[in-house]
Amino acid sequence: MNLSKVLQINGDKYPDREALLFGEQRITYRQWNEQADHLARHLQQKGIQRGDRVVLMMPNLPDFAILYFAILRAGGVAVPINARFSREEVAYILEDCQAGGIFVHEKLFPSVAELAGMQPSRFHVKTGPAEGSWESLEDWKTSSPSGDPPWFDPTTLTGEDEVDVLYTSGTTGCPKGVRFSHSNLLTVGTMIAIEFEVNLGSRVLHMMPLSHSAPLHLMFVSAVIVGASHVFYPTFTPEVFLRLVEQGRITHFFGAPVAYLLSMGEPAFREADLSSAKYWVYGGSPLSKDQADAIADAFGKEKLVCVYGLTEAGPSGTLMHHRDYHEKSGSIGRRGALFTEIEIVDEQGQPCPVDRIGEIRLRGEGTMLGYLNRPEETMETLKNGWIYTGDLAFRDGDGFFWIVDRKKDVIITGGINVYPKEVEDALTSHPAVQEAAVVGLPHPTWGETVTAFMVPKPGANPLDEDGWLKEVRRYLAGKIAEFKIPGSVKMLTGLPRNASGKILKHRLKEIGTEADSYV
């Protein structure tokens, strides 16, 4: 079985069922299948063959879904990339994956317009009118492919064929391409359909970027598998989110924690009718217990689920239903999701005892084929079928897993390890702190100094950074060990994040290093 075949089957079984929705636009499963097939023939006319990679730089719109399957229908490999990438980043990916072509939305076109003359790709296509060397997607949609090439038979694709390449979020630098097979996606999509009861009557809202693994592989693919309806919106804003859930009778939504936190602060939140929701799913970055409790109280703990995973694992990992274990808010759960194993191991790869910090490793049928063009890094991450996540955690006496921090983010100050998440959780419990991130910055004496970047809540007492430092030291005294208390505090209006909501700690280190101050 392959994903292209799944869409063809659903086009036959549910021809008139609404599949893709955006504003007033409605596309049925039969139309989706037919349009993907039509564009696949254009791709083959351009020379796209089995295994060729095609880049998609598109926001969350029906065209994304149609083109994604058109690429698969032609035997190609889809490479969805972040809509916010710069020209240099797009050029890097086109070269890295040796793309046979690229599709770009017209609103994103100005940032990459010059690439047609710089890249050897076989075609460059944009939505809207043609421009220079860029062809028009609308022209492709309304014209028949010329010539009569030997059309590729998509039924010959197997579960082991490559289906897409996702580039990691690049929170620490240059992104890496992660390769997946049809079998990988069918596994994790089925996992979500079963775990979260995604079915024929479901209406799944896509507001998180479909260039990222959880929105694409979990929510999008699961909805395709069962023939559910997809509701699209290009970007997340709290007010639009609340309106779409209410008007669209949304049943399932996945968002980064910040999406829920921002929505709770909207004036319209109290009056919004969100009763259609069956599952609110969050993941992508850790939450403190206070934050997790606040979201559960606002959205309903009976519907809220925390998911933990890794792009390289599909993503697959763990999940925790707040309805069952509300007292364990802040944990990532006590079991692997369907088809997934999880362990915490030491440096020698041996399982850690209760309460001992080690590295999380994951194993399942959703696990990546490997990194693109990076065999050494593949071997470092993927060992004997296990994905070594780089996340440090421990398991408590009740069997629940608790993330401590990223292995690479551990701060070493005066020879002592400090785990930033512990400090961040303490900081965000302050009634005037909206969010906080902690990093280690170079220090001439201690090696690194614990540095907090904080965003105050609206209406908080105005303090300069020296004032906040004194307040932080006062507040944290007795809550955490003295050596963990930040030696420097920097105030921001917002923390830098990537499109999936993850905090860019390498950018914070750049900001802190530019300031070049030690306390």
Side-chain angles (χ1 to χ4, degrees):
M1 181 62 74
N2 63 74
L3 275 179
S4 174
K5 181 66 175 176
V6 170
L7 180 62
Q8 179 262 306
I9 291 172
N10 284 348
D12 293 339
K13 287 170 61 177
Y14 315 121
D16 299 320
R17 177 172 293 279
E18 290 185 343
L20 311 177
L21 298 84
F22 171 65
E24 299 301 316
Q25 188 177 9
R26 299 288 187 273
I27 296 173
T28 67
Y29 267 96
R30 175 168 52 195
Q31 291 168 332
W32 185 2
N33 182 61
E34 290 174 349
Q35 291 180 35
D37 196 61
H38 177 81
L39 292 175
R41 291 179 177 264
H42 275 285
L43 286 167
Q44 291 171 64
Q45 182 192 23
K46 291 293 184 181
I48 294 301
Q49 301 180 17
R50 188 173 191 157
D52 287 347
R53 299 186 178 99
V54 179
V55 168
L56 273 175
M57 191 176 180
M58 305 283 291
N60 291 4
L61 292 169
D63 276 343
F64 175 98
I66 296 167
L67 288 168
Y68 183 89
F69 273 91
I71 294 166
L72 308 191
R73 186 67 51 89
V77 178
V79 186
I81 65 172
N82 195 316
R84 298 179 181 178
F85 274 168
S86 67
R87 186 187 69 178
E88 290 73 20
E89 290 169 318
V90 177
Y92 163 79
I93 289 173
L94 288 169
E95 177 64 28
D96 189 61
C97 74
Q98 292 295 290
I102 179 173
F103 292 99
V104 176
H105 191 273
E106 58 188 316
K107 290 188 177 179
L108 308 173
F109 174 68
S111 65
V112 297
E114 298 176 14
L115 290 179
M118 301 167 57
Q119 296 291 329
S121 301
R122 295 171 206 149
F123 65 87
H124 300 76
V125 178
K126 62 183 285 289
T127 62
E131 188 168 336
S133 300
W134 290 80
E135 299 178 69
S136 166
L137 178 61
E138 280 62 37
D139 290 345
W140 280 33
K141 289 180 179 180
T142 56
S143 64
S144 299
S146 59
D148 189 24
W151 302 120
F152 174 74
D153 181 1
T155 63
T156 62
L157 289 169
T158 72
E160 302 311 306
D161 277 293
E162 191 173 308
V163 62
D164 66 21
V165 176
L166 300 188
Y167 277 80
T168 56
S169 53
T171 56
T172 58
C174 196
K176 298 186 289 288
V178 186
R179 300 168 51 238
F180 292 99
S181 69
H182 286 265
S183 178
N184 293 151
L185 269 61
L186 289 169
T187 296
V188 296
T190 301
M191 168 189 76
I192 290 298
I194 294 174
E195 292 278 16
F196 295 153
E197 304 173 72
V198 183
N199 54 45
L200 196 60
S202 297
R203 297 171 70 83
V204 181
L205 176 60
H206 303 294
M207 295 185 82
M208 298 292 106
L210 288 168
S211 55
H212 293 268
S213 59
L216 180 64
H217 290 176
L218 300 188
M219 307 310 293
F220 178 75
V221 171
S222 66
V224 171
I225 289 172
V226 302
S229 296
H230 303 256
V231 179
F232 294 93
Y233 201 77
T235 57
F236 176 86
T237 62
E239 61 274 16
V240 174
F241 165 68
L242 296 173
R243 173 169 55 81
L244 288 178
V245 172
E246 182 170 1
Q247 295 179 357
R249 307 307 295 160
I250 299 302
T251 61
H252 294 76
F253 173 74
F254 168 85
V258 67
Y260 294 97
L261 293 169
L262 290 174
S263 298
M264 289 159 49
E266 279 295 303
F269 181 78
R270 289 179 178 270
E271 304 300 324
D273 179 4
L274 309 181
S275 60
S276 61
K278 197 170 186 178
Y279 284 98
W280 302 115
V281 186
Y282 72 88
S285 60
L287 277 176
S288 68
K289 178 173 174 52
D290 288 345
Q291 290 173 319
D293 283 342
I295 294 174
D297 291 343
F299 284 86
K301 64 178 181 290
E302 72 282 357
K303 298 180 178 183
L304 188 65
V305 185
C306 165
V307 293
Y308 162 79
L310 203 72
T311 294
E312 288 85 342
S316 57
T318 66
L319 52 81
M320 189 189 77
H321 292 265
H322 282 257
R323 67 183 178 222
D324 297 327
Y325 305 110
H326 191 49
E327 73 281 3
K328 294 290 186 177
S329 289
S331 163
I332 59 169
R334 65 187 302 179
R335 68 172 176 89
L338 188 66
F339 309 131
T340 308
E341 299 173 82
I342 178 172
E343 290 184 347
I344 296 178
V345 296
D346 60 22
E347 293 289 344
Q348 288 71 47
Q350 298 301 309
C352 289
V354 170
D355 292 333
R356 179 75 59 82
I357 294 173
E359 182 177 359
I360 295 177
R361 68 180 184 183
L362 303 170
R363 183 166 64 185
E365 294 300 314
T367 298
M368 70 174 181
L369 299 174
Y371 291 121
L372 181 63
N373 305 324
R374 296 172 184 252
E376 296 84 5
E377 292 183 54
T378 297
M379 292 176 63
E380 290 174 5
T381 302
L382 184 56
K383 303 172 186 177
N384 298 320
W386 289 97
I387 292 289
Y388 283 72
T389 66
D391 287 327
L392 299 177
F394 67 90
R395 196 169 195 177
D396 68 19
D398 296 322
F400 286 82
F401 296 93
W402 298 83
I403 298 287
V404 174
D405 230 306
R406 290 290 295 166
K407 193 174 182 179
K408 61 180 175 293
D409 288 340
V410 173
I411 301 166
I412 303 176
T413 179
I416 304 174
N417 287 359
V418 174
Y419 298 104
K421 186 176 183 299
E422 179 185 4
V423 185
E424 292 163 358
D425 288 351
L427 286 169
T428 54
S429 70
H430 190 291
V433 176
Q434 181 164 298
E435 54 182 354
V438 172
V439 301
L441 295 182
H443 192 284
T445 303
W446 303 108
E448 289 184 298
T449 185
V450 180
T451 304
F453 292 81
M454 303 196 312
V455 178
K457 287 183 178 178
N461 289 334
L463 296 173
D464 60 17
E465 290 185 346
D466 286 339
W468 269 110
L469 179 60
K470 292 176 183 176
E471 172 61 14
V472 163
R473 287 174 169 169
R474 179 200 68 78
Y475 182 75
L476 297 184
K479 288 184 171 62
I480 57 177
E482 185 178 358
F483 68 86
K484 301 175 183 178
I485 295 176
S488 178
V489 168
K490 303 185 186 303
M491 306 306 295
L492 302 174
T493 56
L495 298 178
R497 299 176 184 271
N498 65 16
S500 62
K502 291 182 181 179
I503 295 170
L504 300 173
K505 288 201 169 181
H506 72 283
R507 178 59 188 141
L508 291 177
K509 289 182 179 182
E510 292 171 359
I511 294 170
T513 303
E514 289 164 4
D516 194 28
S517 62
Y518 304 104
V519 178

